Amino acid sequence: GNNIPRFVRSLVEEAGIDPKDLATFLHQGSLRVIGSLQESLSDQNVIVDIEDGNYSSATIPRMLSRANLQSGQRAVLVGFGAGLFASGAVVEFG
């Protein structure tokens, strides 16, 4: 559905940041789910890492370790699970 994209947009809006100024990291689900989310969030830089599959709770930290983000860069981190319950935050790296 549209719940995850709506949630991501609300996080970005609440932070008052242009979506183009962020990297968006999503918990890895199936290719179908991730593809649908990338399409729905086409105005954002959605980072995906499907090389090694789903690492459960370690997925986002694993992607961050590979992303080589610079000090001052901002990102949206969103994890979601069964029933598409989601939690997330906008963070700035220092």
Side-chain angles (χ1 to χ4, degrees):
N2 293 325
N3 293 336
I4 301 301
R6 191 174 315 131
F7 177 62
V8 171
R9 285 185 186 6
S10 73
L11 289 171
V12 173
E13 184 178 304
E14 187 176 316
I17 300 169
D18 186 332
K20 294 178 183 86
D21 294 334
L22 295 164
T24 302
F25 293 86
L26 301 174
H27 168 78
Q28 301 304 97
S30 70
L31 285 175
R32 182 184 61 79
V33 169
I34 292 300
S36 174
L37 292 174
Q38 278 184 296
E39 190 175 304
S40 296
L41 294 167
S42 62
D43 63 327
Q44 297 187 28
N45 178 25
V46 177
I47 308 298
V48 296
D49 180 5
I50 56 172
E51 284 180 31
D52 302 322
N54 184 343
Y55 278 79
S56 190
S57 62
T59 300
I60 291 175
R62 180 176 164 80
M63 287 191 304
L64 290 173
S65 73
R66 294 176 164 190
N68 200 20
L69 296 169
Q70 304 300 311
S71 181
Q73 211 166 347
R74 297 178 187 157
V76 181
L77 312 177
V78 178
F80 55 91
L84 292 183
F85 175 80
S87 183
V90 174
V91 298
E92 183 174 329
F93 294 88

